[in-house]
Amino acid sequence: MTVKSKRGRRRYIAFTVSPSLRRSALIEALTERMGADAPRVIQCSEGWCIIRCPPNMCARSISMMSEIDPQAVSLRTSGTLISLRQRYPELMRLRPPPKRRRSIIQTLTRVSRYI
């Protein structure tokens, strides 16, 4: 069984938005309007935004974005995040820093304290 069959396919949508729009405000507005079906905000800063949603929710997500921010313009929908960031270099520059993962040595050191 593949991962996609377990979690479902995803679509990433790139937008230009008003520069004053903040990620926290966007998350709150989407959750308020769409509830549990709200798309996930991957990044939103300096007038650029990426959201993730299931394929059957793309049109609804785009309409909600234009409702929340009238200046929002959908640029492209893609199946992969990296392809959007390669097409629009500003998205690559503005991406959040990657999550820091623990090395195996750090993990073993933490576990050994409790043994």
Side-chain angles (χ1 to χ4, degrees), residues 28-40:
E28 186 178 314
L30 285 169
T31 306
E32 182 181 298
R33 285 175 171 78
M34 298 179 75
D37 292 337
R40 177 158 163 77

Side-chain angles (χ1 to χ4, degrees), residues 53-84:
C53 63
N56 59 345
M57 296 285 291
C58 287
R60 185 171 178 215
S61 298
I62 292 169
S63 67
M64 280 296 128
M65 281 294 293
S66 62
E67 197 175 294
I68 292 167
D69 182 17
Q71 292 182 359
V73 176
S74 170
L75 300 174
R76 190 166 196 85
T77 301
S78 175
T80 61
L81 187 56
I82 192 71
S83 66
L84 282 179

Side-chain angles (χ1 to χ4, degrees), residues 66-108:
S66 62
E67 197 175 294
I68 292 167
D69 182 17
Q71 292 182 359
V73 176
S74 170
L75 300 174
R76 190 166 196 85
T77 301
S78 175
T80 61
L81 187 56
I82 192 71
S83 66
L84 282 179
R85 288 181 172 157
Q86 286 172 347
R87 181 173 287 274
Y88 302 104
E90 282 298 305
L91 292 172
M92 185 70 84
R93 184 183 68 80
L94 296 171
R95 73 178 177 184
K99 292 182 181 176
R100 185 170 170 228
R101 297 181 187 253
R102 290 188 191 137
S103 70
I104 188 70
I105 295 170
Q106 289 174 328
T107 304
L108 291 174

Side-chain angles (χ1 to χ4, degrees), residues 11 13-14 33 49 76:
R11 293 291 177 261
I13 308 170
R33 285 175 171 78
C49 179
R76 190 166 196 85

